[in-house]
Amino acid sequence: MDYPWKEDIEAARKANNGSRSLYSNGNHNDSQSTLPPRLSTDTEKTRLGDYGDDKNNRPSDHDDQEQQSPDQQSIQPGEAGDTALANAPWKYKAIALVTALMLPVGSHFSTSALSAMKSSVRDNLHIDNTRYGVLSSSVSIINTIFPIIGGMFIDIFGSVWGTMAVNGLVLLGSLLTALAARFASFPLIIVGRVIFGIGGGLIVTMQESLLSKWFRTQSLSIAIGMQLSVSRLATFLGTLVANPIAERTGTWVWPFWLAFIICGFSISMNLVYALIVRHLEGDNVVNKDDLTRLKKKKSFKYHSILKFPLFFWHVIVIEFLFASVWSSFQTISTDLVQTRFGTTGVLAGYTASASQVVPIIATPLLGVFMDIFGHRIKILTLSGIFMIISAILLGWTYVNAVVGMVFYSFSLAFGTLPMITSIAMIMESSYVGTGLGIYKSSNNVGTAILDIIIGRIQDQTAGQSYSGVMTLYLVLACIGTGLILTLLVTQRIFLFNLLEVSRRKREERMKEKNDREVELNRQGRDSYEETEVKAVNIFFVGLFVAALLVAWILFFVYAAVGKVKVT
């Protein structure tokens, strides 16, 4: 890929610093064939920022001042891949940010609108809570696999045109959902949600991967914070307006048609993003020359998944617990308020929408705070505490439901951003997309399992109350909080507190890490080639596969045998 800012940057660097190239590795002497010191997040190898005892491996002032020819120093953008995006000027980053934020808006609105309409869907399709859980998990179940594929696609090809295809699936799935509601067809709505789910899961993974590659060295927390804010705003609006629209129009179908229209808007924004990036590059995002070069390099190794840092899997386990609770809670929040607090569907929708308010405002502010001061894991700890308080208030007290929803909202705001940005910092840039794909996939595995389990628990509870469901939420939140506290201690010891440090120290270490990865990409070498496969990695991959199988088995069993109400 031939980025247009390359020539401008080269000219500026030559004017100020001789022939030194911004695309070159500041810690590498290109007159030699050796790579710069390996920076690893592996707990049993050299730690990030630690160069070991060999002083010859340390970067020196002489290396920084050494002048070399452009041919020696320059890393061709096509060879550096998407890793070079982190070095782009801010005017290009701003365009990428604004347009990329709009990519999944339609997907989030459609998902929340369906959740807010649980009572109407259940009554009009004549299904019970278990089968509604199957319907809800139909979006999650298909995305137990596809986000990983999407993440790998971004890592290998770096194409933004793939987002057009997956947003097309979102649009088609939304259309089928609206038609299924129109004809009251449960099988058709399952098909529609599965198709929708393929696109919805992939578009979010691709969006997070692209933003992580653009902003991983600077302002990553701010970019992801804005992304989460826009996503939560779309979710908030879907929850807020679904029932009022159904009431005003006199039919439960219209909210789904509105979701279809907004998905159309989202894909139009996707087209703008793709055209802008194509214009900036002066060619297709992935042209034939790029594909030939990438295939020749073969720098992406699938077995490297077994070499991912242990801290990555630690974050994934935490995310598995909390994200499944957050996601499944959203599918029942309106019905929970309506059932337990005795309100109308419209008022329950208004109350439940409070669960989305805080992330809209807080995530950008948290992004700024974490970008300047750090403290990611401490903020994540607060998320766990807020979730525990929310579960207690909504499950065992009659304090106004809005209070419990607001605490849940704080948990959501304080939890997602630290985990996504931590993964982007821990992982090698060449595997950020794959890492975020696993992150999203584990989210959907947990959600698919928990959606069905809570539906089953509610059906088996006297009066179909939510007491058993809230007990389960409380237990999972307590376990997750304990794991967060463990991460807070271990990352301080083995990562030199990387996930907690302030901007200056973090940017120095991340810039150094990114420069090394650019050099590896130039040589077509794998980022984890020096890392050994460990038994603990195999264990976590096996655990993930086992949970994946459980999710699929539960889905098909209850899709086939779930009870249907007879009216």
Side-chain angles (χ1 to χ4, degrees), residues 234-260:
T235 301
F236 167 76
L237 292 176
T239 304
L240 183 68
V241 305
N243 281 295
I245 289 175
E247 188 176 84
R248 292 291 182 86
T249 59
T251 173
W252 71 295
V253 180
W254 254 108
F256 300 111
W257 285 117
L258 177 61
F260 171 71

Side-chain angles (χ1 to χ4, degrees), residues 322 325-326 381-396 404 407-408 411 470 473-482:
F322 277 102
V325 171
W326 292 329
T381 303
L382 290 176
S383 172
I385 295 172
F386 287 140
M387 189 65 230
I388 292 172
I389 295 173
S390 174
I392 293 173
L393 290 176
L394 292 172
W396 289 276
F407 272 104
Y408 164 85
S411 175
M470 298 310 295
Y473 284 158
L474 180 60
V475 170
L476 293 176
C478 289
I479 295 173
T481 303

